[in-house]
Amino acid sequence: MILKLKPELNTQQRDLFISFLQGQGIDFLLREIYGMHLCLIFSDIENAQIVYLSSLPFIEEVVDTPKEYLLASNTWKKSSTCFDVEGQIIGGKEINIIAGPCSVESEEQIFKIAEHLHSLGLKFIRGGAYKPRTSPYRFQGLGIDGLKYIRKAADAYDLRVVTEVIDSSLIPEVSEYADILQVGSRNMQNYYFLKQLGKINKPVLLKRGMYARIDEWLMAAEYILSAGNEKVILCERGIRTFDTSVRNTMDITAFPLIKSLSHLPVFSDPSHGTGIRNLVTPLALASVAAGADGIMVEIHPDPDKALSDGMQSLYLEQFTDLINKARQVAAAINRSLDNDSANDKQKKQNICVE
Ligand code: PEP
Ligand code: MN
Protein backbone atom coordinates (compact mmCIF):
# COMPACT_ATOMS: atom_id res chain seq x y z
CA MET A 1 0.00 0.00 0.00
CA ILE A 2 1.41 3.38 -1.00
CA LEU A 3 -0.01 6.79 -0.14
CA LYS A 4 1.18 9.74 -2.22
CA LEU A 5 1.39 13.00 -0.33
CA LYS A 6 0.19 16.17 -2.01
CA PRO A 7 3.15 17.82 -3.79
CA GLU A 8 2.21 21.30 -2.52
CA LEU A 9 2.82 20.26 1.11
CA ASN A 10 5.49 22.40 2.74
CA THR A 11 8.14 20.91 5.05
CA GLN A 12 6.39 22.06 8.19
CA GLN A 13 3.04 20.54 7.19
CA ARG A 14 4.76 17.36 6.16
CA ASP A 15 6.66 17.00 9.43
CA LEU A 16 3.48 17.67 11.36
CA PHE A 17 1.64 15.01 9.41
CA ILE A 18 4.45 12.49 9.85
CA SER A 19 4.62 12.96 13.60
CA PHE A 20 0.82 12.67 13.71
CA LEU A 21 1.03 9.27 11.99
CA GLN A 22 3.88 8.18 14.23
CA GLY A 23 1.77 9.15 17.23
CA GLN A 24 -0.94 6.78 15.97
CA GLY A 25 1.54 3.91 16.11
CA ILE A 26 1.35 3.37 12.34
CA ASP A 27 4.47 1.82 10.85
CA PHE A 28 5.55 3.22 7.48
CA LEU A 29 8.48 4.28 5.38
CA LEU A 30 8.64 7.81 4.02
CA ARG A 31 10.52 8.32 0.84
CA GLU A 32 10.76 10.30 -2.30
CA ILE A 33 10.11 8.09 -5.25
CA TYR A 34 11.96 8.87 -8.45
CA GLY A 35 11.94 12.54 -7.53
CA MET A 36 8.20 12.74 -8.01
CA HIS A 37 6.33 12.81 -4.76
CA LEU A 38 6.87 11.97 -1.17
CA CYS A 39 5.21 8.69 -0.51
CA LEU A 40 4.32 6.71 2.54
CA ILE A 41 4.92 3.02 2.07
CA PHE A 42 3.09 0.58 4.30
CA SER A 43 3.92 -3.08 4.27
CA ASP A 44 1.36 -4.10 6.85
CA ILE A 45 -1.79 -2.08 7.22
CA GLU A 46 -5.41 -2.87 7.99
CA ASN A 47 -8.30 -1.88 5.72
CA ALA A 48 -9.83 0.38 8.35
CA GLN A 49 -6.57 2.31 8.62
CA ILE A 50 -6.40 2.72 4.84
CA VAL A 51 -9.89 4.19 4.73
CA TYR A 52 -8.99 6.51 7.58
CA LEU A 53 -5.67 7.63 6.08
CA SER A 54 -7.11 8.26 2.63
CA SER A 55 -9.65 10.65 4.16
CA LEU A 56 -6.87 12.87 5.53
CA PRO A 57 -6.31 16.20 3.76
CA PHE A 58 -2.62 15.77 2.92
CA ILE A 59 -3.08 12.64 0.85
CA GLU A 60 -3.18 13.01 -2.92
CA GLU A 61 -3.62 9.39 -3.93
CA VAL A 62 -3.90 5.94 -2.39
CA VAL A 63 -2.30 3.26 -4.53
CA ASP A 64 -3.28 -0.23 -3.64
CA THR A 65 -0.41 -1.85 -5.58
CA PRO A 66 -2.58 -4.26 -7.56
CA LYS A 67 0.35 -6.03 -9.15
CA GLU A 68 2.07 -6.48 -5.79
CA TYR A 69 4.92 -4.44 -7.16
CA LEU A 70 4.74 -0.81 -8.15
CA LEU A 71 8.16 0.81 -7.82
CA ALA A 72 9.69 -1.85 -10.05
CA SER A 73 6.94 -1.43 -12.62
CA ASN A 74 6.65 1.31 -15.22
CA THR A 75 3.30 2.49 -13.88
CA TRP A 76 4.77 5.67 -12.42
CA LYS A 77 8.29 5.77 -13.71
CA LYS A 78 8.30 5.82 -17.49
CA SER A 79 11.96 6.56 -18.18
CA SER A 80 14.54 3.77 -17.95
CA THR A 81 16.53 3.63 -14.73
CA CYS A 82 20.06 4.74 -15.40
CA PHE A 83 22.87 5.51 -12.94
CA ASP A 84 26.57 6.08 -12.63
CA VAL A 85 28.94 3.54 -11.10
CA GLU A 86 32.34 5.14 -10.61
CA GLY A 87 32.16 7.02 -13.91
CA GLN A 88 30.43 4.28 -15.91
CA ILE A 89 26.78 4.47 -16.82
CA ILE A 90 24.52 1.49 -16.20
CA GLY A 91 21.19 1.32 -18.02
CA GLY A 92 22.12 3.79 -20.77
CA LYS A 93 22.28 3.21 -24.49
CA GLU A 94 25.56 1.35 -24.25
CA ILE A 95 25.53 -2.30 -23.25
CA ASN A 96 27.63 -2.98 -20.15
CA ILE A 97 29.99 -5.92 -20.17
CA ILE A 98 30.97 -7.59 -16.90
CA ALA A 99 33.37 -10.51 -17.00
CA GLY A 100 35.60 -12.47 -14.69
CA PRO A 101 35.96 -15.81 -13.00
CA CYS A 102 33.23 -17.61 -11.13
CA SER A 103 35.49 -17.50 -8.06
CA VAL A 104 38.49 -15.38 -7.22
CA GLU A 105 41.12 -18.11 -6.78
CA SER A 106 44.38 -16.20 -6.30
CA GLU A 107 45.89 -12.77 -6.76
CA GLU A 108 47.70 -13.97 -9.87
CA GLN A 109 44.53 -15.38 -11.46
CA ILE A 110 42.47 -12.24 -10.94
CA PHE A 111 45.28 -9.95 -12.13
CA LYS A 112 45.64 -11.96 -15.34
CA ILE A 113 41.92 -11.58 -15.99
CA ALA A 114 41.87 -7.89 -15.08
CA GLU A 115 44.71 -7.25 -17.50
CA HIS A 116 42.80 -8.99 -20.29
CA LEU A 117 39.64 -6.97 -19.60
CA HIS A 118 41.67 -3.78 -19.61
CA SER A 119 43.25 -4.68 -22.93
CA LEU A 120 39.72 -4.87 -24.37
CA GLY A 121 38.79 -1.48 -22.88
CA LEU A 122 36.28 -3.09 -20.52
CA LYS A 123 35.15 -1.47 -17.30
CA PHE A 124 33.71 -4.12 -15.00
CA ILE A 125 35.16 -7.24 -13.42
CA ARG A 126 33.25 -9.96 -11.58
CA GLY A 127 34.50 -12.65 -9.22
CA GLY A 128 33.03 -14.42 -6.22
CA ALA A 129 34.83 -14.32 -2.88
CA TYR A 130 31.96 -15.85 -0.91
CA LYS A 131 30.52 -18.68 -2.96
CA PRO A 132 27.02 -20.12 -2.48
CA ARG A 133 27.92 -23.69 -3.49
CA THR A 134 25.30 -26.38 -3.80
CA SER A 135 27.55 -28.81 -1.91
CA PRO A 136 29.28 -27.82 1.33
CA TYR A 137 32.28 -29.90 0.21
CA ARG A 138 32.99 -27.68 -2.80
CA PHE A 139 35.28 -24.63 -2.80
CA GLN A 140 33.55 -21.96 -0.72
CA GLY A 141 35.63 -18.98 -1.90
CA LEU A 142 38.60 -17.10 -0.47
CA GLY A 143 36.41 -14.77 1.61
CA ILE A 144 37.99 -11.47 2.61
CA ASP A 145 41.26 -12.31 0.83
CA GLY A 146 39.30 -12.78 -2.39
CA LEU A 147 37.70 -9.37 -1.94
CA LYS A 148 41.10 -7.78 -1.39
CA TYR A 149 42.59 -9.42 -4.50
CA ILE A 150 39.74 -8.42 -6.81
CA ARG A 151 39.75 -4.83 -5.49
CA LYS A 152 43.50 -4.57 -5.97
CA ALA A 153 43.30 -5.93 -9.52
CA ALA A 154 40.35 -3.66 -10.34
CA ASP A 155 42.20 -0.59 -9.07
CA ALA A 156 45.28 -1.49 -11.07
CA TYR A 157 43.27 -1.74 -14.30
CA ASP A 158 40.51 0.89 -13.88
CA LEU A 159 37.75 -1.66 -13.37
CA ARG A 160 34.64 -1.68 -11.20
CA VAL A 161 34.03 -4.70 -8.99
CA VAL A 162 30.89 -6.86 -9.07
CA THR A 163 30.87 -9.54 -6.39
CA GLU A 164 28.28 -11.58 -4.56
CA VAL A 165 27.13 -10.94 -1.01
CA ILE A 166 25.57 -14.09 0.42
CA ASP A 167 24.32 -12.91 3.80
CA SER A 168 23.16 -9.76 5.58
CA SER A 169 26.04 -10.01 8.05
CA LEU A 170 28.52 -9.62 5.17
CA ILE A 171 26.97 -6.48 3.62
CA PRO A 172 29.36 -4.02 5.35
CA GLU A 173 32.46 -6.04 4.45
CA VAL A 174 31.49 -6.67 0.82
CA SER A 175 30.38 -3.04 0.38
CA GLU A 176 33.85 -1.90 1.36
CA TYR A 177 35.41 -3.71 -1.63
CA ALA A 178 32.64 -3.90 -4.24
CA ASP A 179 31.11 -1.29 -6.54
CA ILE A 180 28.06 -3.44 -7.30
CA LEU A 181 26.72 -6.07 -4.90
CA GLN A 182 25.41 -9.22 -6.52
CA VAL A 183 22.51 -11.16 -5.02
CA GLY A 184 22.65 -14.76 -6.15
CA SER A 185 19.84 -16.82 -7.57
CA ARG A 186 19.53 -18.78 -4.33
CA ASN A 187 18.99 -15.61 -2.32
CA MET A 188 16.45 -13.91 -4.55
CA GLN A 189 13.68 -14.81 -2.15
CA ASN A 190 15.55 -14.03 1.05
CA TYR A 191 13.33 -11.06 1.79
CA TYR A 192 14.92 -9.94 5.03
CA PHE A 193 18.25 -9.80 3.22
CA LEU A 194 16.72 -7.84 0.31
CA LYS A 195 15.34 -5.28 2.76
CA GLN A 196 18.83 -4.81 4.21
CA LEU A 197 20.20 -4.23 0.70
CA GLY A 198 17.53 -1.59 0.25
CA LYS A 199 19.21 0.45 2.96
CA ILE A 200 22.64 0.70 1.38
CA ASN A 201 23.97 3.21 -1.08
CA LYS A 202 25.44 0.77 -3.62
CA PRO A 203 23.86 -0.74 -6.71
CA VAL A 204 22.50 -4.26 -6.38
CA LEU A 205 22.57 -6.78 -9.22
CA LEU A 206 19.65 -9.10 -8.51
CA LYS A 207 19.89 -12.49 -10.15
CA ARG A 208 16.65 -14.21 -11.05
CA GLY A 209 15.83 -17.10 -8.74
CA MET A 210 16.21 -20.38 -10.58
CA TYR A 211 12.56 -21.19 -9.81
CA ALA A 212 11.21 -17.67 -9.93
CA ARG A 213 8.48 -16.38 -12.17
CA ILE A 214 8.97 -12.93 -13.71
CA ASP A 215 6.52 -11.32 -11.29
CA GLU A 216 8.25 -12.94 -8.30
CA TRP A 217 11.55 -11.56 -9.53
CA LEU A 218 10.06 -8.06 -9.85
CA MET A 219 8.59 -8.37 -6.35
CA ALA A 220 12.07 -9.24 -5.08
CA ALA A 221 13.33 -6.03 -6.74
CA GLU A 222 10.42 -4.23 -5.08
CA TYR A 223 11.76 -5.25 -1.67
CA ILE A 224 15.04 -3.44 -2.40
CA LEU A 225 13.38 -0.42 -4.04
CA SER A 226 10.75 0.03 -1.34
CA ALA A 227 13.42 -0.02 1.35
CA GLY A 228 15.08 2.96 -0.33
CA ASN A 229 17.68 1.74 -2.83
CA GLU A 230 16.78 2.73 -6.40
CA LYS A 231 19.90 1.27 -7.99
CA VAL A 232 18.74 -2.19 -8.92
CA ILE A 233 19.90 -4.21 -11.93
CA LEU A 234 17.99 -7.36 -12.84
CA CYS A 235 20.01 -10.28 -14.18
CA GLU A 236 18.50 -13.24 -16.00
CA ARG A 237 20.60 -16.36 -15.32
CA GLY A 238 18.42 -19.19 -16.56
CA ILE A 239 15.70 -21.17 -14.86
CA ARG A 240 15.13 -24.83 -14.04
CA THR A 241 12.96 -26.63 -16.55
CA PHE A 242 12.28 -30.30 -17.35
CA ASP A 243 15.21 -30.30 -19.77
CA THR A 244 18.33 -31.82 -18.27
CA SER A 245 20.54 -31.32 -21.32
CA VAL A 246 21.56 -27.89 -20.05
CA ARG A 247 22.31 -26.65 -16.52
CA ASN A 248 19.50 -24.09 -16.81
CA THR A 249 17.19 -22.92 -19.57
CA MET A 250 18.11 -19.38 -20.57
CA ASP A 251 14.89 -17.40 -20.68
CA ILE A 252 15.39 -15.01 -23.58
CA THR A 253 11.76 -13.95 -23.23
CA ALA A 254 12.75 -12.18 -20.03
CA PHE A 255 14.48 -9.28 -21.82
CA PRO A 256 11.64 -7.88 -23.94
CA LEU A 257 9.12 -8.85 -21.26
CA ILE A 258 10.94 -7.03 -18.47
CA LYS A 259 11.34 -4.04 -20.77
CA SER A 260 7.56 -3.94 -21.22
CA LEU A 261 6.86 -4.21 -17.47
CA SER A 262 9.69 -2.34 -15.77
CA HIS A 263 12.09 0.59 -16.02
CA LEU A 264 14.95 -1.37 -14.45
CA PRO A 265 18.03 -2.36 -16.46
CA VAL A 266 18.10 -6.06 -17.24
CA PHE A 267 21.35 -7.96 -17.76
CA SER A 268 22.08 -11.42 -19.09
CA ASP A 269 24.23 -14.15 -17.56
CA PRO A 270 24.53 -16.77 -20.30
CA SER A 271 27.21 -18.65 -18.32
CA HIS A 272 24.87 -19.87 -15.57
CA GLY A 273 22.05 -19.63 -18.09
CA THR A 274 23.45 -22.56 -20.04
CA GLY A 275 26.27 -24.12 -18.00
CA ILE A 276 27.98 -25.10 -21.24
CA ARG A 277 30.92 -23.11 -22.60
CA ASN A 278 30.05 -23.43 -26.28
CA LEU A 279 26.55 -22.12 -25.70
CA VAL A 280 27.65 -18.99 -23.88
CA THR A 281 28.50 -16.81 -26.92
CA PRO A 282 25.34 -17.65 -28.92
CA LEU A 283 23.15 -16.94 -25.89
CA ALA A 284 25.03 -13.73 -25.10
CA LEU A 285 24.38 -12.56 -28.67
CA ALA A 286 20.73 -13.60 -28.50
CA SER A 287 20.38 -11.63 -25.25
CA VAL A 288 21.80 -8.50 -26.85
CA ALA A 289 19.44 -8.90 -29.79
CA ALA A 290 16.50 -9.38 -27.40
CA GLY A 291 17.25 -6.13 -25.55
CA ALA A 292 19.57 -6.98 -22.64
CA ASP A 293 21.27 -3.88 -21.19
CA GLY A 294 24.33 -5.79 -20.06
CA ILE A 295 26.09 -9.13 -20.26
CA MET A 296 27.87 -10.88 -17.41
CA VAL A 297 30.16 -13.71 -18.45
CA GLU A 298 32.44 -16.11 -16.60
CA ILE A 299 35.95 -16.29 -18.04
CA HIS A 300 39.11 -18.01 -16.84
CA PRO A 301 42.73 -18.17 -18.06
CA ASP A 302 42.66 -21.95 -17.55
CA PRO A 303 39.02 -23.09 -17.27
CA ASP A 304 39.93 -26.78 -16.97
CA LYS A 305 41.61 -26.01 -13.66
CA ALA A 306 38.95 -23.61 -12.35
CA LEU A 307 37.83 -24.20 -8.77
CA SER A 308 34.21 -23.57 -9.75
CA ASP A 309 32.16 -23.49 -12.95
CA GLY A 310 35.05 -24.31 -15.30
CA MET A 311 32.67 -26.04 -17.74
CA GLN A 312 30.88 -22.79 -18.47
CA SER A 313 33.89 -20.46 -18.29
CA LEU A 314 35.21 -19.04 -21.55
CA TYR A 315 38.90 -19.09 -22.45
CA LEU A 316 40.17 -15.54 -22.68
CA GLU A 317 40.43 -15.71 -26.50
CA GLN A 318 36.86 -16.99 -26.74
CA PHE A 319 35.76 -14.01 -24.72
CA THR A 320 37.52 -11.60 -27.08
CA ASP A 321 35.60 -13.25 -29.91
CA LEU A 322 32.32 -12.84 -27.98
CA ILE A 323 32.99 -9.11 -27.59
CA ASN A 324 33.66 -8.68 -31.31
CA LYS A 325 30.46 -10.46 -32.24
CA ALA A 326 28.38 -8.71 -29.57
CA ARG A 327 29.52 -5.38 -30.96
CA GLN A 328 28.06 -6.28 -34.36
CA VAL A 329 24.76 -7.47 -32.91
CA ALA A 330 24.53 -4.32 -30.78
CA ALA A 331 25.14 -2.17 -33.88
CA ALA A 332 22.25 -3.92 -35.63
CA ILE A 333 19.87 -2.62 -32.97
CA ASN A 334 21.51 0.81 -32.84
CA ARG A 335 23.43 0.22 -29.61
CA SER A 336 27.09 -0.17 -28.75
CA LEU A 337 29.19 -1.77 -26.05
CA ASP A 338 30.46 0.19 -23.06
CA ASN A 339 34.10 -0.36 -23.93
CA ASP A 340 33.80 1.33 -27.30
CA SER A 341 33.46 4.91 -26.08
CA ALA A 342 36.46 4.36 -23.85
CA ASN A 343 38.49 3.39 -26.89
CA ASP A 344 37.53 6.54 -28.70
CA LYS A 345 37.88 9.55 -26.43
CA GLN A 346 36.18 11.80 -29.01
CA LYS A 347 33.08 9.67 -29.10
CA LYS A 348 30.15 10.69 -26.97
CA GLN A 349 30.23 8.89 -23.64
CA ASN A 350 27.37 6.70 -22.61
CA ILE A 351 24.58 8.80 -21.19
CA CYS A 352 21.26 8.24 -19.52
CA VAL A 353 18.50 8.66 -22.10
CA GLU A 354 15.31 10.14 -20.75
C1 PEP B 1 27.62 -16.54 -9.80
O1 PEP B 1 27.36 -15.58 -10.52
O2 PEP B 1 28.77 -16.88 -9.54
C2 PEP B 1 26.51 -17.33 -9.23
C3 PEP B 1 26.68 -18.12 -8.18
O3 PEP B 1 25.37 -17.17 -9.91
P1 PEP B 1 23.88 -17.66 -9.58
O4 PEP B 1 23.51 -17.05 -8.28
O5 PEP B 1 23.10 -17.13 -10.75
O6 PEP B 1 23.89 -19.16 -9.54
MN1 MN C 1 29.58 -19.41 -11.25
Side-chain angles (χ1 to χ4, degrees):
M1 171 64 55
I2 298 183
L3 299 192
K4 261 195 214 178
L5 295 184
K6 287 195 170 150
E8 62 267 21
L9 232 63
N10 65 34
T11 325
Q12 208 181 2
Q13 290 170 314
R14 193 191 68 199
D15 292 350
L16 212 69
F17 184 54
I18 299 306
S19 42
F20 164 74
L21 287 179
Q22 283 162 342
Q24 308 268 311
I26 301 173
D27 196 24
F28 61 89
L29 189 83
L30 174 74
R31 51 173 299 235
E32 194 171 318
I33 293 174
Y34 309 126
M36 292 191 307
H37 289 273
L38 278 172
C39 291
L40 304 170
I41 302 178
F42 303 87
S43 53
D44 189 15
I45 188 163
E46 288 166 16
N47 271 344
Q49 279 178 316
I50 297 169
V51 174
Y52 166 64
L53 287 173
S54 30
S55 70
L56 295 174
F58 294 151
I59 301 296
E60 179 171 76
E61 192 184 348
V62 180
V63 189
D64 185 11
T65 58
K67 285 195 287 189
E68 303 291 341
Y69 61 89
L70 178 66
L71 306 181
S73 81
N74 49 20
T75 312
W76 281 355
K77 187 172 189 290
K78 304 290 179 201
S79 61
S80 301
T81 282
C82 181
F83 49 85
D84 180 295
V85 179
E86 300 300 324
Q88 289 299 306
I89 296 296
I90 299 270
K93 199 174 166 208
E94 293 180 355
I95 294 165
N96 303 110
I97 308 291
I98 305 170
C102 178
S103 304
V104 179
E105 298 171 0
S106 67
E107 188 168 335
E108 190 198 354
Q109 174 234 27
I110 200 73
F111 263 78
K112 205 175 272 178
I113 291 169
E115 187 186 9
H116 187 70
L117 298 179
H118 184 71
S119 74
L120 296 171
L122 292 167
K123 297 294 172 192
F124 294 90
I125 188 167
R126 63 147 286 149
Y130 290 97
K131 296 301 302 176
R133 304 306 300 280
T134 305
S135 166
Y137 305 122
R138 299 286 182 202
F139 179 59
Q140 301 287 307
L142 295 180
I144 179 88
D145 288 340
L147 292 176
K148 286 181 180 164
Y149 296 152
I150 194 169
R151 183 74 263 166
K152 197 168 161 193
D155 289 344
Y157 290 104
D158 184 27
L159 300 166
R160 286 122 205 95
V161 171
V162 183
T163 193
E164 182 166 351
V165 54
I166 56 172
D167 187 74
S168 296
S169 61
L170 290 166
I171 294 175
E173 181 183 306
V174 176
S175 303
E176 198 181 322
Y177 295 94
D179 299 301
I180 298 178
L181 273 64
Q182 177 177 323
V183 174
S185 186
R186 292 155 189 81
N187 258 324
M188 190 212 83
Q189 281 171 313
N190 185 343
Y191 301 123
Y192 175 79
F193 180 43
L194 299 179
K195 281 187 200 178
Q196 303 306 308
L197 289 162
K199 294 180 193 158
I200 64 169
N201 190 20
K202 289 249 165 156
V204 174
L205 182 139
L206 178 66
K207 291 274 197 105
R208 180 177 181 181
M210 60 186 85
Y211 303 106
R213 297 190 314 246
I214 296 280
D215 62 337
E216 291 168 332
W217 187 19
L218 288 168
M219 284 185 255
E222 189 84 5
Y223 265 95
I224 304 172
L225 298 168
S226 61
N229 188 347
E230 287 177 4
K231 294 177 183 168
V232 176
I233 304 162
L234 299 168
C235 183
E236 165 64 42
R237 49 78 73 205
I239 46 172
R240 286 267 172 99
T241 66
F242 56 84
D243 194 344
T244 52
S245 50
V246 278
R247 182 177 179 184
N248 291 293
T249 296
M250 188 73 192
D251 183 10
I252 293 291
T253 319
F255 304 108
L257 189 54
I258 290 286
K259 289 281 157 204
S260 72
L261 297 170
S262 177
H263 52 83
L264 294 171
V266 56
F267 283 23
S268 164
D269 170 358
S271 307
H272 296 88
T274 60
I276 300 171
R277 184 179 305 130
N278 288 341
L279 301 183
V280 171
T281 298
L283 269 299
L285 302 182
S287 305
V288 171
D293 298 299
I295 301 290
M296 182 158 83
V297 182
E298 286 184 345
I299 63 174
H300 198 287
D302 191 355
D304 300 325
K305 298 213 178 86
L307 298 180
S308 60
D309 288 349
M311 300 271 281
Q312 66 193 36
S313 300
L314 297 186
Y315 289 88
L316 301 187
E317 318 77 70
Q318 278 182 310
F319 176 63
T320 308
D321 177 60
L322 182 158
I323 294 296
N324 290 331
K325 289 178 172 150
R327 178 176 299 118
Q328 294 175 45
V329 176
I333 53 165
N334 198 25
R335 294 183 83 170
S336 52
L337 306 186
D338 67 354
N339 61 331
D340 290 340
S341 59
N343 289 340
D344 178 359
K345 291 257 186 310
Q346 299 306 331
K347 214 179 113 189
K348 193 160 63 65
Q349 294 289 311
N350 196 14
I351 46 159
C352 293
V353 234
E354 282 308 312

